Amino acid sequence: MHIDLLGPVAVRRDDGTTVTPSAPKRRALLSTLAIRLNQTVGTDELIELVWDGDAPPTARAALQGHVAALRQLLDGPGLTLGTRGAGYLLAGDPDRVDLLHFRGLCDRAGVLRPAPAAPAASTEPEPHDPAVPLLRAALDLFRGPALVDCGSVLLRERTLPHVTDLRLRALDRLAEGLLGAGRGGELAAELAEAAAAHPTRQTLVARLVRCLDQAGRRDEAAAWYDRAVARLSGPPGPELRHAGERSADGPEREAPPRPARLPRRGAPDRRFTGRSAEFARLDEALAAAVRSGHPILVTGPAGVGKTSLVQHWVQRSTGHFPDGVLHAELGGFDPAGPREPADVLAGFLLALGEPAGALPASPEEREQRYRELLAGRRLLIVLDDARSYEQLAPLLPDPPPPGDGPDGATNGDGDGNEDGNGDGNAGTRGTPVVVVTSRSRLRDLLVRDGGIPLPLGVLGAEDAAELLARTLGPARVAAEPQAAADLAAACDHLPLALRLAAARLAARPGWTLGDLAAELADEQTGLATLAGTDRGPIGVTTALDHTYRTLPPAPARLFTLLGLHPGAVIDTATAAALADLPLATTRTLLTRLDAVHLLEEATPGRYARRELVRRYAAGQAAELTCDDRFVALDRLIAHYLAVTAAWTTGGCTTAAWTPEGAGAAPAEAAAWFRREESALRAVVVCAEQFGRTAESWQLAHRIGLLYETTGHDRTHWRAVTEAGLRAAHGCADQAAVARLATDLAVLHVDRAAHRTAVQQLERAVAAADRAGDQLLRHQCRARVAGALLRAGRYDQALPLMTDLVSAARTPAVGGLLVRALTDLADALVLAGSPGPALVHADEAVRVATTRSGAEAVLATQSRARALHALGRRDAALSTARLAVALGRTVGDTGLESRTHGLLADLLCELGRTTEGAVARRQAARALAAGER
């Protein structure tokens, strides 16, 4: 058994199975005992830490229950929990607790021993410092902030300062060892992160400056030194001052090195897999580029494998470029900023044979000389990680003159070479081919230079599984095929994320793929699991950081606010509501985010984002002030209430059922709900959690009506309704309780749990009575009656509808008599009793003559259906035509459309299909007029 505290608390068995307690207080107890391993911890101290100094009278008994549960959890070799006097003791090997293992490694490396009182300034560590591997192993134990979810604020406050101090001391000592070995640059990223978090720790900044200086990154070293000194109230200490002077006195920056030429041959990365379709598209693009001179543009989100794809393709294609391959890292999204084109040109000129002393001084002269040297050469130019068209333009060769393509092909259209590219080589004089990679779509390159786009997507399911197998071994992946699929999905099938996940598993042979998939699925900590290391690839968060930091303020603000939206797809209107911006402005900003693949415009006006991006955005949103978050969430909730109101108004006030499907939501509403359902669910819960109880129950009720009327998958209907019901109880609104309890009753009818449905209806009616709202009482019963009728439960629906008619004859709800009569008449027709149905329909027509025109239309429709069921076809047709005439006078296009539809149905059943088709077209025209 192992206990991990350096990150999210985790308990692992020796076989890798995770058995972490879910209860926060149980985690707090376990963490306290683990930190004090092999020491007795008193009961009073445990109660104070577990309950954060606010223990209830029952805490002692509850503590005993938690201890008993932990004993059962830890039942196995390695760790034993026992009672010792007035306290408890967890006994075991300290290496089984990662925090204590970390402390032990630091002790062995000498970090816990006091430093010499006055070390000589010239003392340097040994080149092979034995502390380096110990400290590297110690720091690698951290999986995130220590004790991040231990369940006790008090325990973190007491423990974290010591752990943080020891971690920084270990980092400082590791930097000292690596500097002595000439490898200081390996630790620059970790030191920069630590120095940013602890800016007043001068020794840390001094180590960072020295590491950057040793790696040749003098500008960054100077910048860190200047920032550190600017924060000080006095002069810098001797170590920081010495590091700054050493960096400043170093040699001047040398001329740009010769750009790396990609090898013509070489062993490819064994982990690279798939992409056969992309290789074929690159081959096709090469043929077009050779003819036209247009650059090839490989674009895609951070971590999708653009550079790796191009490198492997070049290894396969170097035979097409006898004059070689030029390669430049443009650093377009590097935190230090993109490389200047003039520096890249200097490197290219050196590689093309230009003497170092003869390099032109001005950028314009370098650009001209570069193009002169490229003329007629059959070579490939790879421009990796481009930021903008402005960075690229000076690096693009001149296009071939017309007629100078292979076999005399005309530039750009391929005339004179029907097979497109022959053997794929450039012509006699040669045409340089440019391949650009970027996470920006670089639309200017496409428009101005005719770039050939090659968008790169994530891996397919089979290729993702193969990538995992290349690192973990086929047997390990084959043993858990579903877990492998879940893991790939949790990584968004992104190659960078998959490699990081595979590396994490490879270092932990006792873990299962399912363990890591579950860890990645955690909303709060999953993204941190895909962190990189200084010695390997950057993490997913860092890669996204590099993109996010390049955004101007307005799109960056919108991206951050979108982190409050829980859905995978966002439309322009929703984004505008969140950001409180006009639609046109929002569309422009969304386009900017799409341009760097932080969003993907799936269909016009609708933007998809991958789950890892959504979580990253949520992390950015968490940095907003509470006021900003609440105000934006209020706007989001208000937006969804406004949209759903258009399709559900009246759902609380009618039976929500008509025999020809009039209660069904329009197609537009059904499509919208299908897209937004998951986000709506999350917003209901969010509104409830943040105290917006009135908005929560209203939205939950409207979502319930959409579940009922759209035919959407109803798996989550109950959870949404129960959240809304909690919110209704929370704001003590009995009318709201009645509506949500009715929603639950309708849901139970839908699931054939009729006894439970009756119980929920009784609760709804009781709540309506407590609210003193007889009209609402009637409406709740009418909705459930309609649901029973749709379910074919005529034996339960008809008595309830008959009772509703009786109730509607009273003054309290007399305004609903026509609707009650027509509903009962239509139900009787469905139940095979058209005679009684006609009686109720005739009464409805008589009552409706004194009411609104809409009620007269409904009653006339009901009478037509009853007459038709009795076999009185002519009377039914004339009555249906009367309903059409009445419908034209009401001004309700939806109702008018349904009257035409009823007439069409009756005509078609009589075999008069031509007339029926005319009526059907009229119904469609009426509906279209209403939508306009």
Side-chain angles (χ1 to χ4, degrees):
M1 194 72 72
H2 298 265
I3 300 175
D4 296 335
L5 304 177
L6 300 179
V9 174
V11 181
R12 295 179 289 109
R13 293 198 175 101
D14 289 344
D15 62 2
T17 306
T18 302
V19 289
T20 308
S22 58
K25 287 181 171 51
R26 204 161 290 168
R27 291 199 302 273
L29 174 61
L30 177 66
S31 301
T32 303
L33 293 169
I35 291 169
R36 304 271 288 276
L37 190 74
N38 298 322
Q39 302 175 44
T40 300
V41 186
T43 301
D44 291 340
E45 183 181 359
L46 286 172
I47 290 174
E48 180 189 21
L49 289 171
V50 171
W51 276 272
D52 275 327
D54 187 23
T58 58
R60 193 171 296 271
L63 181 68
Q64 293 173 351
H66 289 311
V67 168
L70 287 182
R71 279 178 175 150
Q72 186 175 9
L73 178 76
L74 298 172
D75 183 21
L79 296 170
T80 305
L81 177 56
T83 305
R84 293 292 186 276
Y88 298 94
L89 179 142
L90 182 64
D93 182 356
D95 284 352
R96 289 183 174 271
V97 179
D98 63 351
L99 191 154
L100 303 183
H101 185 39
F102 166 70
R103 190 178 295 164
L105 289 169
C106 289
D107 188 24
R108 289 167 57 194
V111 175
L112 297 182
R113 293 194 291 272
S122 60
T123 300
E124 291 290 343
E126 294 295 329
H128 302 292
D129 190 339
V132 167
L134 294 172
L135 293 170
R136 184 69 270 172
L139 290 168
D140 283 346
L141 291 172
F142 282 84
R143 300 168 291 111
L147 298 164
V148 65
D149 61 345
C150 69
S152 171
V153 175
L154 200 56
L155 179 63
R156 288 196 83 219
E157 289 176 349
R158 293 182 181 180
T159 307
L160 209 54
H162 169 73
V163 175
T164 301
D165 179 71
L166 185 57
R167 184 181 189 182
L168 294 177
R169 288 164 61 190
L171 189 63
D172 182 74
R173 179 65 181 83
L174 177 59
E176 183 182 355
L178 290 174
L179 282 165
R183 298 160 50 200
E186 292 181 17
L187 206 59
E190 285 180 72
L191 282 169
E193 183 179 348
H198 305 277
T200 60
R201 200 149 176 151
Q202 292 191 39
T203 55
L204 205 60
V205 180
R207 291 281 191 262
L208 173 60
V209 169
R210 289 186 60 195
C211 287
L212 290 169
D213 179 57
Q214 191 176 77
R217 297 157 66 179
R218 296 185 180 280
D219 288 348
E220 293 176 66
W224 273 101
Y225 176 78
D226 292 342
R227 281 199 297 270
V229 171
R231 291 192 185 100
L232 300 176
S233 57
E239 189 169 1
L240 179 58
R241 184 178 66 252
H242 175 68
E245 291 171 351
R246 185 170 181 171
S247 176
D249 293 341
E252 295 296 322
R253 179 178 299 201
E254 299 175 358
R258 293 171 67 92
R261 291 175 180 257
L262 297 181
R264 294 184 182 276
R265 300 178 189 81
D269 183 349
R270 291 182 296 106
R271 297 172 301 170
F272 187 88
T273 184
R275 300 300 195 191
S276 56
E278 288 81 359
F279 282 142
R281 287 162 56 202
L282 273 169
D283 290 340
E284 294 173 4
L286 171 62
V290 167
R291 293 194 303 270
S292 64
H294 297 166
I296 301 169
L297 175 60
V298 180
T299 61
V304 80
K306 301 177 292 293
T307 300
S308 184
L309 172 74
V310 170
Q311 287 178 344
H312 281 74
W313 175 75
V314 170
Q315 288 174 345
R316 294 159 39 119
S317 308
T318 49
H320 299 313
F321 308 108
D323 292 327
V325 179
L326 295 176
H327 177 270
E329 295 277 358
L330 300 187
F333 292 84
D334 192 283
R339 289 183 65 188
E340 290 296 326
D343 290 341
V344 179
L345 286 169
F348 279 169
L349 289 173
L350 290 172
L352 292 169
E354 194 78 352
L359 288 179
S362 71
E364 293 78 10
E365 291 173 331
R366 290 182 181 182
E367 183 179 343
Q368 180 180 353
R369 182 59 180 152
Y370 166 66
R371 288 179 170 150
E372 289 171 354
L373 292 175
L374 289 181
R377 297 202 188 208
R378 289 153 55 184
L379 53 75
L380 175 67
I381 305 166
V382 178
L383 303 175
D384 198 18
D385 192 24
R387 171 76 165 271
S388 64
Y389 180 76
E390 288 69 26
Q391 185 190 28
L392 281 173
L395 308 177
L396 300 177
D398 289 327
D404 200 36
D407 301 327
T410 301
N411 180 28
D413 61 11
D415 293 341
N417 185 12
E418 293 182 3
D419 66 358
N421 68 325
D423 63 1
N425 288 326
T428 303
R429 291 189 55 196
T431 302
V433 172
V434 177
V435 177
V436 178
T437 73
S438 180
R439 64 188 68 175
S440 171
R441 298 187 191 277
L442 294 176
R443 292 187 174 92
D444 283 350
L445 184 68
L446 305 181
V447 172
R448 299 186 188 184
D449 288 88
I452 304 169
L454 199 155
L456 189 60
V458 298
L459 294 175
E462 291 184 4
D463 287 341
E466 177 64 20
L467 190 153
L468 292 172
R470 295 275 178 100
T471 301
L472 303 174
R476 194 171 176 187
V477 174
E480 299 181 79
Q482 186 56 52
D486 293 342
L487 181 58
C491 292
D492 281 336
H493 293 88
L494 193 71
L496 172 62
L498 287 164
R499 288 173 186 266
L500 290 166
R504 188 168 174 79
L505 279 172
R508 295 162 176 81
W511 285 27
T512 67
L513 275 70
D515 290 337
L516 185 56
E519 187 177 11
L520 288 172
D522 188 283
E523 178 74 18
Q524 302 300 322
T525 62
L527 194 58
T529 302
L530 298 175
T533 67
D534 189 51
R535 296 164 295 159
I538 62 173
V540 171
T541 299
T542 304
L544 291 170
D545 264 335
H546 291 176
T547 305
Y548 175 74
R549 303 303 174 196
T550 66
L551 294 173
R557 173 182 178 271
L558 176 60
F559 178 80
T560 299
L561 289 171
L562 293 180
L564 298 171
H565 188 281
V569 180
I570 307 163
D571 61 32
T572 306
T574 304
L578 255 176
D580 195 22
L581 292 171
L583 282 173
T585 303
T586 305
R587 181 64 186 266
T588 299
L589 297 179
L590 289 168
T591 301
R592 295 290 297 270
L593 298 176
D594 171 78
V596 291
H597 289 91
L598 288 174
L599 297 176
E600 188 86 24
E601 190 168 15
T603 58
R606 297 193 55 76
Y607 296 83
R609 57 183 173 177
R610 291 172 288 116
E611 174 63 12
L612 295 177
V613 174
R614 187 196 66 76
R615 291 191 189 180
Y616 175 81
Q620 298 300 318
E623 301 298 320
L624 295 169
T625 66
C626 287
D627 287 345
D628 285 344
R629 285 201 303 276
F630 284 145
V631 169
L633 283 170
D634 285 341
R635 290 195 299 261
L636 179 64
I637 294 166
H639 166 72
Y640 278 133
L641 284 172
V643 175
T644 54
W647 292 317
T648 58
T649 299
C652 306
T653 59
T654 69
W657 173 82
T658 54
E660 75 277 15
E668 181 186 1
W672 180 86
F673 184 57
R674 184 171 58 253
R675 295 190 300 263
E676 299 285 347
E677 185 258 355
S678 62
L680 287 166
R681 282 191 278 116
V683 170
V684 167
V685 175
C686 182
E688 180 201 1
Q689 291 175 341
F690 286 98
R692 273 56 174 175
T693 51
E695 292 83 354
S696 177
W697 80 253
Q698 291 176 48
L699 189 56
H701 175 58
R702 293 174 185 178
I703 293 171
L705 294 173
L706 288 168
Y707 275 124
E708 184 182 356
T709 58
T710 61
H712 184 77
D713 176 61
R714 298 174 176 182
T715 303
H716 303 288
W717 185 2
R718 180 170 183 171
V720 171
T721 305
E722 288 177 343
L725 188 57
R726 287 194 302 270
H729 282 297
C731 59
D733 187 335
Q734 292 302 317
V737 171
R739 288 180 168 87
L740 271 298
T742 302
D743 291 342
L744 273 179
V746 172
L747 181 154
H748 287 304
V749 170
D750 182 73
R751 296 182 178 180
H754 300 109
R755 181 176 298 177
T756 308
V758 170
Q759 293 170 350
Q760 284 295 342
L761 177 58
E762 290 171 353
R763 295 189 184 102
V765 169
D769 289 342
R770 288 193 296 272
D773 192 335
Q774 292 301 305
L775 188 61
L776 177 60
R777 185 182 200 274
H778 184 94
Q779 292 160 355
C780 293
R781 300 175 73 214
R783 271 196 69 207
V784 175
L788 287 167
L789 199 64
R790 287 196 302 275
R793 302 292 298 194
Y794 303 135
D795 57 329
Q796 293 176 283
L798 289 173
L800 183 53
M801 287 182 158
T802 302
D803 190 41
L804 286 169
V805 169
S806 299
R809 298 186 190 280
T810 64
V813 290
L816 295 179
L817 179 57
V818 172
R819 185 58 189 259
L821 286 166
T822 56
D823 284 348
L824 178 56
D826 291 334
L828 286 166
V829 169
L830 288 175
S833 301
L838 183 58
V839 173
H840 292 298
D842 285 341
E843 183 183 358
V845 170
R846 288 194 301 273
V847 176
T849 57
T850 62
R851 304 285 179 85
S852 68
E855 288 191 334
V857 176
L858 291 172
T860 305
Q861 288 179 329
S862 184
R863 187 173 188 275
R865 280 188 284 268
L867 288 167
H868 181 74
L870 285 167
R872 296 166 61 181
R873 312 298 191 196
D874 293 339
L877 279 177
S878 62
T879 304
R881 288 193 171 96
L882 175 60
V884 168
L886 291 171
R888 292 195 180 107
T889 67
V890 173
D892 183 337
T893 55
L895 183 58
E896 181 184 350
S897 174
R898 290 194 292 276
T899 60
H900 284 293
L902 173 61
L903 178 59
D905 290 341
L906 297 181
L907 288 167
C908 289
E909 286 194 30
L910 294 175
R912 296 160 66 172
T913 54
T914 302
E915 294 174 81
V918 172
R920 194 81 68 198
R921 286 194 295 271
Q922 290 172 328
R925 281 197 294 269
L927 189 61
E931 291 175 351
R932 288 197 296 270

